Amino acid sequence: MQALRSIFVCSFLFPFLRISTPTTPDTITPNRYIRDGESLVSAGGSFELGFFSPGKSNGRYLGIWYTVDTEAVVWVANRETPLGDTSGVLKVTEQGVLVLLNSSNSIVWSSNTSRTAGNPVSQLLDSGNLVVKDGNETNPVNFLWQSFDYLCDTFLPEMKLGWDLVTGLERYVSSWRSKDDPAARGEFSLRIDHRGFPQADVDG
Ligand SMILES: *[C@@H]1O[C@H](CO)[C@@H](O)[C@H](O)[C@H]1NC(C)=O
Ligand SMILES: *[C@@H]1O[C@H](CO)[C@@H](O)[C@H](O)[C@H]1NC(C)=O
Ligand SMILES: *[C@@H]1O[C@H](CO)[C@@H](O)[C@H](O)[C@H]1NC(C)=O
């Protein structure tokens, strides 16, 4: 009876296990890039990174969306610089910089970093954060770059708003120009007033 039940449980569970086992990787390395039509899915399956055209737009954008709702785009890399066709490629360089290339191999968008990595890896985390890090690094303090530092119009759990007083980076959200155009619309942004910080008060 016990054996029978195990067989039943196994055959019942297997299809689910196969479906839930991620077949799409969550990382790129200098040896492995993705092109339009391919994507990364975070290890827990919550978020997907890939290429899309919002609404009626013909432009191609690199973005992150919820896997359960592909219309729910939470981050866009090349907000201001859409690709004109489906030949975009996302790579991480040997220096640990993410570059989005068009068909003429020109950089349409890139991340930046003040450090280099011996073994650069770009990973889509299950929080929706796209990070560049060295090897198996897990401490966010040591990440070379993270999309959570460059917010678009969506504030996700674990994101921070406002000034990083160490790097001088300001994190703020800004709305899309329209549902067909993720470019930032300057007049609608939510920022933290720099003057409110004690550090700034010292100057005043
Ligand atoms: C690629 O981008 C470069 C720089 O923005 C641009 O001059 C070139 O026309 C683009 N190529 C294509 C095929 O869109
Ligand atoms: C990265 O680029 C942003 C926006 O251009 C800039 O504010 C920031 O200082 C840069 N960071 C580094 C580490 O170069
Ligand atoms: C990262 O972790 C994997 C699996 O745990 C291991 O095989 C690999 O050697 C590690 N890489 C580095 C650079 O530590």
Side-chain angles (χ1 to χ4, degrees), residues 112-114 150 169:
N112 60 11
T113 176
S114 50
Y150 302 93
L169 178 83

